[in-house]
Amino acid sequence: MATSNSNEFCQLDGKELELLDRFLTRTVFSITPAKTICLYENEIFKLTCIYPFLMHAALMVTLLHDRHLATVANTNLTAAEAFHYYQGTALFNSKLSGPLQGFERDALWVAAAILGTISFCYIEAKTPEEAWPLKPSSSLDLNWLTLSEGKMQVWEITQVIARPDSIFRELALEHKDFSMTAPGGPGLEALPYGFTAFYNLNATSTVDNNPYYAAALSVAQSMHLTCDYTTNMRFMMFIMKMQIEYKQLLLRKDPRALLLLAYWYAKVCQFEHWWFLGRATLECQAICIFLDRFHGNDANIQALLQFPRTIFTRSAWKSALEDLSPDMMDEVGVLP
């Protein structure tokens, strides 16, 4: 099978055809909301066969899903993963830099969404000590966040809402209405005791006078929710509404900025979804260790750190129990 568009060309061998089949029959159901499944099954499959940058992105995310299901430990990219990731991003950027027509815009939006999933999913760290913010600083720190911001810019460039012929227009209008009003629910008062004072948040706080405001409000509005397929879009508002000043604080490893991110990670990791879990777990644990190690004398931080610590203590205990045989469980007094 070959996909082609303009001067681009992608020839698939037998293994890659099997990979494409797994994308369409398995992986796609795990990376997109239920409302878009019919689009992936029909229209987006056609786009994938036309635009090589989208084909490479689809094959790459499927390889990562294969890796997860095979319980392969985090490692460097395999040759196949590196090939499809490089080809997908190079062709994507090339297409994005030129004039765009018709369904090319829809194909670019799908590719941006898949590449965003890949960037969050893939993490080289195997332990918290190897993960950001504990690892040595690098120009690639929080690269997944930069790519997420880029995805929103692609949304604007591809003019999904403005184009009547876009296959995403109806969904985009729903997304627009949601993003303008969501997540709704409780406000800053839903944050744990001491949070608002620690972040200097009050009734007059806005995105213009407090760099933590948007992130803190997103966390507050999700504290009462459990992250799952029906609510994960609300949790994504943390990223979508993130202030530039807050991201800069994260890059400087500001302790208050890190604490907020730890809360968000602790909430989304409860989803236990394959492309969320690895980064959320490792980097949240790394943040907790970092704040213990370098801000252990700050009573406010240590008090507010209890929630993410508790989440991962439970997670570690659950993981340990899953490794026990029935006889061992009986020995330690745990009911199977």
Side-chain angles (χ1 to χ4, degrees):
M1 176 180 178
T3 67
S4 64
N5 179 254
S6 185
N7 296 323
E8 303 165 9
F9 189 80
C10 179
Q11 179 74 47
L12 302 185
D13 62 21
K15 289 184 178 180
E16 288 167 336
L17 285 172
E18 293 175 0
L19 200 59
L20 177 60
D21 182 67
R22 291 200 297 278
F23 172 75
L24 295 169
T25 60
R26 182 203 66 195
T27 299
V28 67
F29 294 97
S30 70
I31 63 172
T32 187
K35 288 185 177 181
T36 61
I37 289 297
C38 61
L39 292 176
Y40 273 88
E41 291 180 325
N42 299 301
E43 302 299 330
I44 296 177
F45 172 65
K46 298 175 186 176
L47 295 177
T48 302
C49 293
I50 296 172
Y51 298 103
F53 62 82
L54 182 53
M55 177 65 77
H56 285 295
L59 297 183
M60 170 56 176
V61 77
T62 307
L63 285 168
L64 289 180
H65 198 190
D66 284 351
R67 177 199 290 230
H68 168 77
L69 293 174
T71 63
V72 176
N74 289 317
T75 61
N76 294 330
L77 293 177
T78 65
E81 290 168 346
F83 172 75
H84 289 299
Y85 186 57
Y86 173 79
Q87 291 293 324
T89 53
L91 293 173
F92 173 84
N93 289 329
S94 175
K95 180 63 68 177
L96 196 60
S97 64
L100 301 177
Q101 299 178 358
F103 290 120
E104 286 181 338
R105 299 175 185 271
D106 287 337
L108 282 167
W109 168 242
V110 180
I114 294 175
L115 290 172
T117 298
I118 291 169
S119 68
F120 191 90
C121 171
Y122 180 69
I123 179 171
E124 291 185 354
K126 302 182 188 68
T127 67
E129 290 289 343
E130 296 174 350
W132 181 89
L134 288 174
K135 73 178 188 66
S137 295
S138 160
S139 60
L140 296 179
D141 287 348
L142 298 181
N143 193 44
W144 67 268
L145 191 52
T146 300
L147 290 173
S148 295
E149 294 172 349
K151 184 172 72 172
M152 301 312 299
Q153 294 173 1
V154 172
W155 181 270
E156 299 296 330
I157 294 171
T158 53
Q159 301 176 329
V160 174
I161 293 178
R163 290 171 41 238
D165 65 334
S166 172
I167 62 176
F168 292 111
R169 189 168 189 270
E170 183 178 343
L171 289 172
L173 289 171
E174 291 181 18
H175 171 81
K176 180 181 179 182
D177 292 340
F178 176 83
S179 64
M180 290 176 67
T181 58
L188 295 172
E189 70 279 358
L191 292 167
Y193 177 77
F195 227 100
T196 53
F198 185 54
Y199 286 87
N200 298 315
L201 294 164
N202 53 51
T204 65
S205 297
T206 68
V207 294
D208 296 319
N209 60 28
N210 191 313
Y212 306 103
Y213 176 78
L217 185 60
S218 293
V219 169
Q221 291 173 328
S222 64
M223 285 298 292
H224 68 297
L225 298 173
T226 298
C227 188
D228 57 28
Y229 282 108
T230 64
T231 62
N232 64 355
M233 187 62 189
R234 292 182 178 270
F235 287 87
M236 291 302 102
M237 298 305 291
F238 179 89
I239 299 172
M240 295 166 64
K241 299 291 187 179
M242 186 178 291
Q243 298 162 241
I244 295 176
E245 296 82 1
Y246 174 73
K247 181 185 174 183
Q248 292 171 342
L249 289 168
L250 281 176
L251 286 168
R252 295 201 294 268
K253 302 181 182 179
D254 171 79
R256 287 189 289 184
L258 290 175
L259 182 62
L260 274 172
L261 183 58
Y263 266 72
W264 182 74
Y265 273 150
K267 290 294 294 184
V268 299
C269 83
Q270 293 175 290
F271 190 11
E272 297 188 351
H273 193 49
W274 74 271
W275 67 270
F276 272 72
L277 193 58
R279 182 179 300 279
T281 301
L282 284 174
E283 292 195 351
C284 187
Q285 289 176 308
I287 290 172
C288 290
I289 295 170
F290 181 92
L291 293 176
D292 266 335
R293 186 173 297 170
F294 299 106
H295 301 277
N297 294 327
D298 190 316
N300 290 315
I301 288 179
Q302 295 306 309
L304 293 173
L305 201 54
Q306 289 182 17
F307 171 71
R309 274 205 201 103
T310 300
I311 291 297
F312 284 103
T313 299
R314 290 174 183 170
S315 178
W317 175 239
K318 177 182 177 182
S319 178
L321 288 181
E322 290 173 347
D323 292 335
L324 293 178
S325 67
D327 289 342
M328 294 171 67
M329 294 176 74
D330 181 65
E331 185 176 332
V332 298
V334 177
L335 294 175

